[in-house]
Amino acid sequence: MEVSTVLEKEYRILVINPGSTSTKIGVFDNERSVFEKTLRHDSETINSFASIYDQYEFRKTTILETLDQEGINISKLSAVCGRGGLLRPIEGGTYAVNKEMLHDLKIGYAGQHASNLGGIIAYEIATGLNIPSFIVDPVVVDELSDIARISGFSLIERKSIFHALNQKAVARRVAKDLGKKYEDLNLIVTHMGGGITVGTHIGGRVVDVNNGLHGDGPFSPERAGTVPAGELVSLCFSGDYYRDEIMKKLVGQGGLVGYLGTNDAVKVEQMIEAGDEKAALIFDAMAYQVAKEIGSASAVLAGKVDAIILTGGLAYGKGFVKQISERISWIADVIVQPGENELQALTEGALRVLRGEEGAKEYPGTVVDNKVVQS
């Protein structure tokens, strides 16, 4: 008896993740990585450009030259997917790069950041090959519930800025491992890197999450997190600091940097092993605050939590993870997924569209009653 075998269609995808002085690229055949490389850019060269957008031709050329040197034929690509930048608030998902998105990325609608180049470069390469270009789950993904937007101060609304790409990718992987759909689970996903964000995932949407950039939630290696508002106001009006100095102390020079002079968790662990009591206290406090934030997220879910996921670079630290887990394991099972795997996450987002598992969303969608709705 002849048995027919249906072979899965293979898609080759180029993924691009620009950073401040580097560009990470990868080529994937379906989920399998065939090439990955971090392209380092000289600071002097980067600083010679007047704006972030002005870098795109230089970075695109560097990417194409590297692929050519590696013998990768770009004519065989099925799609190009870039890291999403600082766009308008949008719901999670994979978006086709369109003219509106390109405009907002070029002008830096919500701020200038190297990640804005991801969609631009993806579009430029893909257009020349007559294939689609995408971005996936940028940091501006906003699926907050109405009640989560209320800050308690009528002039300020809580905003959604978090590690959406990794949080959603890891949540989908864990759901698959559990034999369930992401949309059917209640999850608390904690990304722990230079910034720390704790997302409450219900029905495939992140209905509550701390703003991991501008002072909300636990402190992290580089960020101060939530600080006492009264004392912060006093510092701002003390005459001792300029606005930019205060912002740097909150973002970039906060957290471990402010207390210990380093953002390297491995170095802090070495300091602790050498008997540094202050380092031990600060590191313990960071784990303590992460656990508190997870506890708050469990209240959003009324205790009905299917799993708690710890991810990001800090999740490699066994001692740090243990401290958090000991405080929260009573809530639900703790699943550790170290690292960010951003290139893999971008690939998976593009594949869902190419395979017809979901449709590519159109940027920017429509805002109705503070909620982003796809037309």
Side-chain angles (χ1 to χ4, degrees):
M1 180 178 177
E2 184 178 344
V3 179
S4 61
T5 302
V6 179
L7 296 177
E8 180 184 20
K9 183 172 181 179
E10 187 168 276
Y11 296 99
R12 173 160 284 196
I13 302 168
L14 169 64
V15 288
I16 302 166
N17 180 15
S20 57
T21 57
S22 67
T23 305
K24 296 178 182 178
I25 62 172
V27 177
F28 287 75
D29 286 344
N30 291 346
E31 288 88 355
R32 182 175 64 87
S33 172
V34 296
F35 171 71
E36 292 184 39
K37 188 170 185 177
T38 299
L39 309 178
R40 306 289 180 185
H41 308 307
D42 181 75
S43 296
E44 186 175 343
T45 301
I46 291 297
N47 292 334
S48 69
F49 295 101
S51 69
I52 294 288
Y53 172 64
D54 290 337
Q55 299 174 21
Y56 100 84
E57 187 67 46
F58 160 73
R59 296 208 193 209
K60 184 185 80 168
T61 300
T62 304
I63 291 169
L64 293 176
E65 289 177 348
T66 300
L67 294 175
D68 184 58
Q69 291 167 7
E70 294 293 331
I72 295 173
N73 185 352
I74 64 171
S75 68
K76 296 183 180 298
L77 294 175
S78 306
V80 186
C81 188
R83 180 71 185 269
L86 298 177
L87 294 160
R88 301 168 191 267
I90 54 177
E91 66 181 4
T94 300
Y95 286 77
V97 181
N98 59 20
K99 298 295 185 181
E100 293 83 0
M101 183 186 295
L102 286 173
H103 174 267
D104 286 352
L105 290 172
K106 289 176 182 178
I107 67 170
Y109 176 86
Q112 294 290 347
H113 191 273
S115 61
N116 292 1
L117 294 169
I120 297 171
I121 298 172
Y123 178 84
E124 292 291 334
I125 294 176
T127 299
L129 299 170
N130 197 29
I131 57 176
S133 56
F134 306 109
I135 66 163
V136 182
D137 291 326
V139 295
V140 293
V141 164
D142 185 348
E143 299 168 339
L144 294 186
S145 63
D146 290 341
I147 200 168
R149 298 183 190 278
I150 307 301
S151 70
F153 183 34
S154 63
L155 299 180
I156 298 175
E157 183 179 83
R158 293 186 69 239
K159 294 180 180 179
S160 177
I161 300 178
F162 72 111
H163 304 90
L165 179 64
N166 190 43
Q167 282 211 22
K168 283 185 172 274
V170 170
R172 288 180 182 277
R173 291 180 202 133
V174 167
K176 184 177 181 180
D177 290 343
L178 295 175
K180 298 183 178 180
K181 292 182 178 180
Y182 167 48
E183 293 78 9
D184 293 336
L185 294 175
N186 288 348
L187 301 170
I188 298 172
V189 184
T190 302
H191 177 105
M192 305 182 297
I196 295 175
T197 55
V198 180
T200 307
H201 298 234
I202 303 176
R205 298 177 67 83
V206 183
V207 299
D208 202 342
V209 65
N210 62 295
N211 181 334
L213 180 61
H214 287 148
D216 188 23
F219 74 83
S220 72
E222 299 177 352
R223 298 168 195 175
T226 302
V227 297
E231 284 82 349
L232 179 60
V233 170
S234 296
L235 278 178
C236 291
F237 288 91
S238 66
D240 294 331
Y241 303 97
Y242 290 108
R243 180 185 183 277
D244 288 349
E245 290 178 304
I246 291 291
M247 287 302 297
K248 285 181 180 178
K249 288 185 178 297
L250 293 174
V251 181
Q253 297 175 2
L256 296 184
V257 174
Y259 284 109
L260 303 173
T262 180
N263 63 359
D264 190 333
V266 175
K267 287 184 179 179
V268 175
E269 290 174 333
Q270 292 171 348
M271 293 165 68
I272 294 170
E273 290 174 2
D276 190 322
E277 294 183 2
K278 179 181 178 182
L281 176 62
I282 300 304
F283 208 55
D284 290 351
M286 188 165 68
Y288 172 82
Q289 288 198 6
V290 172
K292 279 178 63 178
E293 194 75 15
I294 292 171
S296 296
S298 72
V300 174
L301 294 169
K304 298 175 182 177
V305 184
D306 292 304
I308 298 168
I309 305 170
L310 303 180
T311 185
L314 289 176
Y316 285 110
K318 294 182 179 179
F320 188 68
V321 166
K322 181 181 179 182
Q323 283 202 60
I324 296 169
S325 299
E326 287 176 346
R327 292 185 181 276
I328 61 168
S329 58
W330 60 273
I331 299 171
D333 289 341
V334 179
I335 299 172
V336 183
Q337 296 271 328
E340 297 188 33
N341 302 313
E342 291 166 330
L343 298 182
Q344 183 78 37
L346 291 170
T347 300
E348 291 168 359
L351 281 173
R352 288 194 295 273
V353 171
L354 293 174
R355 290 169 172 165
E357 296 171 5
E358 61 184 55
K361 294 182 177 178
E362 183 178 352
Y363 178 83
T366 304
V367 178
V368 179
D369 295 331
N370 289 328
K371 295 180 179 179
V372 183
V373 180
Q374 282 293 302
S375 55

